[in-house]
């Protein structure tokens, strides 16, 4: 079945370092990938997305890389700040078949940024 | 511009009871999706509503039902509550396009005793 998973459940970094969060997905038909940040007691917050016809997309301090050959997605956060501490989820969607509209989430990675 | 809103924020019920959760989508959005998030897990898709109809459904029993109103707001109903239904219930809104970005509300924390 479809699944989106993360290699590392936790990541600890020092303030100012760059962070890399990884995600593997199993559905080669996936068209669209999203990274969400979830702080304690809150709903997931959209960070950045990327479509399958791209391999890189940049936002403010964040970059998402997509490698369709190995079905791998990563989120890079530059100059990580304590306010970046949260759980990060990758999610996958695709337009075809019977799954359009449905986001499939991974388990999540806990990012802790130490001052 | 208000984002996605949900009510109530917290709810305590007992086994066998029924619950209704509410969601108002972000301004300009016409599609509402519901997710269940157990503690320490990623959200699990329940179903999605568009044009007042259920467009897509995840692997949840018929005890979970929903509705979308003409103003695009939505309700999630859960009947015959089980202890395992305790979770954070998230609503996400998006535009009608199939791969529209989904924006989440703060969620409703449901505890079933």
């Amino acid at each position: 079945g479809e699944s989106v998973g993360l290699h590392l459940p936790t990541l600890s970094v020092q303030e100012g370092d760059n962070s890399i969060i990884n995600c593997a997905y199993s559905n080669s038909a996936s068209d669209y990938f999203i990274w969400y940040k979830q702080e304690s007691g809150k709903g997931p917050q959209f960070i950045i997305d990327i479509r399958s016809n791209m391999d890189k997309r940049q936002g403010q301090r964040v970059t998402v890389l997509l490698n369709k050959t190995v079905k791998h997605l990563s989120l890079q956060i530059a100059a990580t700040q304590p306010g970046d501490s949260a759980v990060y989820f990758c999610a996958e969607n695709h337009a075809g078949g019977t799954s359009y509209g449905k986001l499939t989430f991974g388990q999540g990675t806990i990012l802790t940024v130490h001052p | 511009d208000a984002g996605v809103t949900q009510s109530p924020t917290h709810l305590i019920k007992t086994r066998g009871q029924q619950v209704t959760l509410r969601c108002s989508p972000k301004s300009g959005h016409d599609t509402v999706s519901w997710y269940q998030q157990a503690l320490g897990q990623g959200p699990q898709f329940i179903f999605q509503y568009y044009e007042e109809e259920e467009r897509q459904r995840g692997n949840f029993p018929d005890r979970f039902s929903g509705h979308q109103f003409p103003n695009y707001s939505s309700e999630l109903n859960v009947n015959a509550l089980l202890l395992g239904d305790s979770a954070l219930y998230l609503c996400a809104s998006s535009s009608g396009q199939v791969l529209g970005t989904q924006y989440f509300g703060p969620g409703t924390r449901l505890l079933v005793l």
Side-chain angles (χ1 to χ4, degrees):
Chain A
E2 300 174 359
S3 68
V4 179
L6 298 174
H7 296 304
L8 299 174
T10 62
L11 178 64
S12 293
V13 301
Q14 291 296 125
E15 181 177 2
D17 287 351
N18 296 331
S19 301
I20 299 176
I21 301 172
N22 297 301
C23 175
Y25 64 94
S26 59
N27 188 349
S28 57
S30 298
D31 297 308
Y32 181 52
F33 304 87
I34 313 103
W35 281 100
Y36 288 95
K37 170 188 180 183
Q38 188 172 27
E39 297 174 283
S40 181
K42 298 183 179 180
Q45 175 189 354
F46 172 84
I47 301 173
I48 192 168
D49 59 0
I50 188 168
R51 298 192 184 274
S52 59
N53 60 352
M54 304 171 68
D55 54 18
K56 180 179 180 179
R57 191 168 187 213
Q58 289 184 296
Q60 186 176 10
R61 286 201 305 119
V62 294
T63 300
V64 55
L65 299 177
L66 175 62
N67 185 331
K68 294 182 288 294
T69 302
V70 295
K71 292 186 284 188
H72 183 267
L73 189 70
S74 68
L75 176 69
Q76 301 178 359
I77 305 174
T80 316
Q81 304 167 359
D84 295 327
S85 295
V87 180
Y88 288 79
F89 293 98
C90 64
E92 164 266 339
N93 193 1
H94 68 91
T98 60
S99 297
Y100 75 93
K102 167 186 174 182
L103 287 178
T104 301
F105 283 80
Q107 187 177 9
T109 292
I110 300 172
L111 175 64
T112 303
V113 182
H114 301 283
Chain B
D1 176 25
V4 180
T5 60
Q6 293 186 243
S7 64
T9 56
H10 295 83
L11 204 53
I12 300 175
K13 292 285 187 178
T14 57
R15 283 179 297 174
Q17 285 189 311
Q18 178 265 344
V19 68
T20 297
L21 310 181
R22 296 176 176 83
C23 171
S24 291
K26 184 179 171 66
S27 178
H29 285 178
D30 56 9
T31 302
V32 172
S33 303
W34 287 93
Y35 293 81
Q36 181 195 66
Q37 187 176 24
L39 201 61
Q41 302 292 322
Q44 297 290 316
F45 178 79
I46 302 175
F47 41 54
Q48 182 180 85
Y49 278 84
Y50 173 67
E51 293 186 341
E52 301 181 50
E53 291 189 356
E54 184 181 290
R55 176 160 74 174
Q56 178 67 31
R57 189 178 182 93
N59 296 325
F60 280 80
D62 292 343
R63 298 187 296 110
F64 290 77
S65 63
H67 188 79
Q68 185 177 35
F69 300 93
N71 67 353
Y72 308 122
S73 67
S74 177
E75 288 182 348
L76 165 66
N77 301 291
V78 187
N79 295 322
L81 285 166
L82 304 174
L83 296 180
D85 294 332
S86 295
L88 180 68
Y89 288 86
L90 295 161
C91 168
S93 75
S94 56
S95 66
Q97 58 183 303
V98 171
L99 294 181
T101 302
Q102 296 187 20
Y103 294 90
F104 285 83
T108 294
R109 176 72 64 184
L110 173 64
L111 177 61
V112 182
L113 302 176

